[in-house]
Amino acid sequence: MAMADSPEAVVIAGATTSPRADSDLNHTLRRRPSASPVAESDSLNDLVRDSGVDDSVGAKIGGGGDNGRIGGSDGSAESVNAVQDKKGLGENDRSGDPSAVKFAYRPSVPAHRRVKESPLSSDAIFRQSHAGLINLCIVVLVAVNSRLIIENLMKYGWLIKTGFWFSSRSLRDWPLFMCGLTLPIFPLAAFVVEKLVQQKCISEAAVVSLHIVITTTSILYPVVVILRCDSAVLFGVALMLFACIVWLKLVSYVHTNYDMRALHKAVEKGDATPSSLNTEYPHSNNLKNLAYFMVAPTLCYQTSYPRTACVRKGWVFRQLVKLIIFTGVMGFIVEQYINPIVKNSKHPLKGDWLYAIERVLKLSVPNLYVWLCMFYCFFHLWLNILAELLCFGDREFYKDWWNAKTVEEYWRMWNMPVHKWMVRHIYFPCLRHGVPKGVAIIIAFLVSAVFHELCIAVPCHIFKLWAFIGIMFQVPLVLITNYLQNKFRNSMVGNMIFWFIFCILGQPMCLLLYYHDLMNRKGKLD
């Protein structure tokens, strides 16, 4: 039937109808054969639910009784007749029975039977499907960005040069390339130290000292090479990222072996029970495991990892194609949009504040696109490709960080390899040594801030601490968004603050600051 007001509502709501008419109609409906008992039961369930009948009545509807019986002997006779009237009247209505139409569309049938919220109200908005609105946003984004691309090409022309991909200056960066090739020496040195302590050739204090020297040298060596060579910023950033990954993996390798060594000694003394973790220790620490760990898409060392059965070659090829496409999209946005905006801007902290705000807002959209493409290329495509080639099973490289309601949730979900490393080797060790939880969180942010500053300031040869300040500024934001989340339950206030800080204010401002400082440095050198 086309109308939502159903005949059973007349009976349930207590509307006055003729008992004889109801009896005759029900008698007629009961003689009507059912095509499928199960289908009839399902339709009855739907009719009861849609018509607003109490859930207890709907729960008593059985699956496939003879003659349209309702399952459960304690069912209400009125509800039974009402549901059967609904089904029968629907058929009569389609056949054009005037008496059925006259009975169904009574003015006394209640139109409002339950308390309901509007679909876009704050209590119901996240329980609704918004697929249509998402499609609308996609259409609007495509239309708006297509216009911007055409407008940009008409105004500036094609700005991408061949030097973006390869230039003669790239050949002068061979010291950085050689530095990257020699970084595996440090994991090999750490492995030798671990073998020496296993054979009891050196003391535990000597092991700690040697590992401190090895890990410190592994991060200072690339820093010295980059600072001594006037190389391209992009190559410097790539080398520093590689060096930071090696350092994080070395710390995890050393820390894990130290813990397994302590457990092994405790088992020998009888202070701990044997477990699979410590009984494997002397035999699991081999060069093959270390080599696999150094190339695996994880920062946390362990003797074995969950593995997949095979490599899907077709899947890998498709992901590689996507990686090439999105890398090209990033290059296009950087060269065609971000570079002209940055070059035509002034220092955001020197000059007209309105002009600086306009530049930051204009830069925020292309910067957001590049950031999202970077996330998709690295965390989804590249790490999954690497995991597939190595049959690495645990591929939770990120969670749904875009739904984070607080800044703390975002940092826990957007970069899972680093988050797991921080929890395993910074946060919990601090708690085990009696450090308060708040201080442990600050220490974790401090370590993250130092590495962010290294990856940006060293390649730029600028130490203004903009990246360090930006990361440490997350600590008060964590407190603010946690307070808002506790005060306004089930709200997205924290999520809005996160998107505003990261995509509109934080990253564009940091980009402008580093660009102008870099240009000032080059001007002084010239």
Side-chain angles (χ1 to χ4, degrees):
M1 294 177 61
M3 295 291 292
D5 298 324
S6 51
E8 73 272 19
V10 179
V11 181
I12 296 169
T16 57
T17 56
S18 172
R20 180 174 180 81
D22 291 348
S23 176
D24 293 342
L25 183 59
N26 289 330
H27 179 70
T28 303
L29 291 174
R30 290 192 181 94
R31 289 186 302 172
R32 193 180 299 274
S34 176
S36 172
V38 176
E40 181 175 334
S41 174
D42 293 340
S43 64
L44 292 176
N45 276 303
D46 295 338
L47 292 173
V48 172
R49 182 174 61 253
D50 296 340
S51 60
V53 181
D54 187 80
D55 292 339
S56 62
V57 178
K60 296 174 184 177
I61 298 178
D66 295 335
N67 298 325
R69 293 178 59 193
I70 306 296
S73 58
D74 57 345
S76 170
E78 281 189 333
S79 299
V80 172
N81 293 336
V83 175
Q84 290 177 338
D85 289 347
K86 172 75 175 180
K87 180 176 177 60
L89 284 174
E91 295 175 358
N92 289 335
D93 185 27
R94 287 191 295 270
S95 63
D97 188 350
S99 62
V101 174
K102 181 179 178 181
F103 179 81
Y105 300 110
R106 302 285 297 214
S108 59
V109 173
H112 307 283
R113 295 184 291 270
R114 287 180 295 178
V115 176
K116 297 181 181 179
E117 295 286 343
S118 299
L120 294 180
S121 63
S122 58
D123 293 334
I125 186 170
F126 297 113
R127 297 196 299 266
Q128 304 290 330
S129 173
H130 302 293
L133 293 178
I134 293 175
N135 291 334
L136 172 63
C137 292
I138 292 174
V139 171
V140 171
L141 283 174
V142 171
V144 171
N145 287 282
S146 298
R147 183 193 66 81
L148 290 176
I149 291 174
I150 295 173
E151 180 182 348
N152 182 274
L153 291 175
M154 293 174 62
K155 185 176 182 179
Y156 299 105
W158 186 260
L159 298 179
I160 299 179
K161 307 296 188 232
T162 56
F164 174 78
W165 306 102
F166 180 80
S167 65
S168 59
R169 186 179 179 182
S170 302
L171 299 176
R172 301 203 304 267
D173 292 326
W174 65 269
L176 275 65
F177 180 71
M178 296 303 298
C179 178
L181 290 180
T182 55
L183 282 179
I185 294 175
F186 299 101
L188 185 60
F191 174 75
V192 172
V193 172
E194 286 296 323
K195 281 300 181 182
L196 289 175
V197 73
Q198 282 183 20
Q199 298 173 4
K200 298 181 180 180
C201 297
I202 55 177
S203 64
E204 195 68 39
V207 172
V208 175
S209 300
L210 288 173
H211 279 314
I212 291 176
V213 172
I214 292 171
T215 52
T216 304
T217 308
S218 68
I219 197 68
L220 292 180
Y221 169 49
V223 171
V224 172
V225 172
I226 293 173
L227 293 179
R228 290 178 63 89
C229 302
D230 188 18
S231 60
V233 175
L234 182 61
F235 287 93
V237 171
L239 178 59
M240 282 308 304
L241 285 174
F242 184 40
C244 290
I245 291 173
V246 171
W247 187 89
L248 294 172
K249 284 177 178 280
L250 279 178
V251 170
S252 180
Y253 175 73
V254 172
H255 198 180
T256 303
N257 277 286
Y258 174 83
D259 187 58
M260 289 193 294
R261 214 162 39 243
L263 288 173
H264 189 66
K265 292 178 180 178
V267 170
E268 290 180 348
K269 294 179 180 179
D271 297 335
T273 57
S275 64
S276 59
L277 178 64
N278 50 62
T279 55
E280 293 178 0
Y281 165 65
H283 310 287
S284 60
N285 185 23
N286 53 62
L287 194 59
K288 181 180 178 181
N289 283 348
L290 177 59
Y292 181 85
F293 166 62
M294 294 306 296
V295 296
T298 179
L299 299 175
C300 295
Y301 174 76
Q302 56 193 63
T303 56
S304 61
Y305 296 94
R307 306 290 290 272
T308 54
C310 60
V311 177
R312 299 169 292 176
K313 298 179 181 179
W315 184 89
V316 171
F317 176 77
R318 291 193 297 271
Q319 304 310 305
L320 283 172
V321 172
K322 292 180 183 178
L323 183 62
I324 295 173
I325 292 174
F326 279 93
T327 303
V329 171
M330 280 195 295
F332 174 79
I333 296 174
V334 169
E335 286 291 292
Q336 197 72 28
Y337 289 93
I338 293 182
N339 275 354
I341 295 174
V342 173
K343 290 179 180 179
N344 297 329
S345 65
K346 299 178 182 178
H347 198 286
L349 300 181
K350 300 176 183 178
D352 188 3
W353 281 98
L354 289 178
Y355 179 83
I357 294 173
E358 187 272 337
R359 289 287 98 180
V360 169
L361 292 177
K362 189 173 184 179
L363 189 60
S364 62
V365 175
N367 180 80
L368 172 62
Y369 291 161
V370 170
W371 188 65
L372 292 177
C373 287
M374 178 278 300
F375 164 79
Y376 184 71
C377 287
F378 183 77
F379 287 97
H380 183 74
L381 295 176
W382 171 244
L383 292 183
N384 272 288
I385 290 172
L386 195 59
E388 186 71 21
L389 294 176
L390 297 173
C391 296
F392 189 84
D394 186 3
R395 303 183 184 183
E396 190 184 44
F397 305 121
Y398 58 90
K399 293 183 179 179
D400 57 333
W401 54 266
W402 45 88
N403 293 327
K405 295 181 180 179
T406 64
V407 174
E408 183 181 4
E409 284 187 10
Y410 163 76
W411 285 109
R412 290 203 311 261
M413 296 190 297
W414 103 276
N415 189 343
M416 292 305 295
V418 171
H419 170 70
K420 291 176 181 177
W421 187 93
M422 287 286 184
V423 170
R424 195 184 192 207
H425 301 291
I426 300 292
Y427 182 72
F428 281 125
C430 288
L431 296 184
R432 284 195 296 268
H433 286 82
V435 178
K437 180 180 177 181
V439 178
I441 293 176
I442 294 176
I443 293 174
F445 273 104
L446 183 64
V447 174
S448 177
V450 170
F451 280 97
H452 276 80
E453 183 67 25
L454 284 175
C455 290
I456 300 177
V458 172
C460 295
H461 299 252
I462 298 171
F463 296 93
K464 292 293 186 70
L465 301 180
W466 299 125
F468 181 87
I469 295 172
I471 297 300
M472 292 307 297
F473 185 66
Q474 308 304 309
V475 176
L477 286 179
V478 168
L479 300 177
I480 293 172
T481 53
N482 285 344
Y483 169 77
L484 293 175
Q485 176 62 19
N486 294 331
K487 185 175 182 179
F488 306 101
R489 292 290 182 178
N490 298 323
S491 69
M492 298 297 285
V493 177
N495 185 266
M496 295 177 184
I497 294 176
F498 146 68
W499 280 115
F500 177 80
I501 295 297
F502 279 82
C503 303
I504 298 180
L505 178 62
Q507 293 187 18
M509 178 68 74
C510 189
L511 179 61
L512 288 175
L513 289 172
Y514 273 107
Y515 171 79
H516 286 285
D517 290 340
L518 182 62
M519 291 298 102
N520 292 336
R521 173 183 171 271
K522 288 185 176 181
K524 292 178 181 179
L525 291 177
D526 294 339

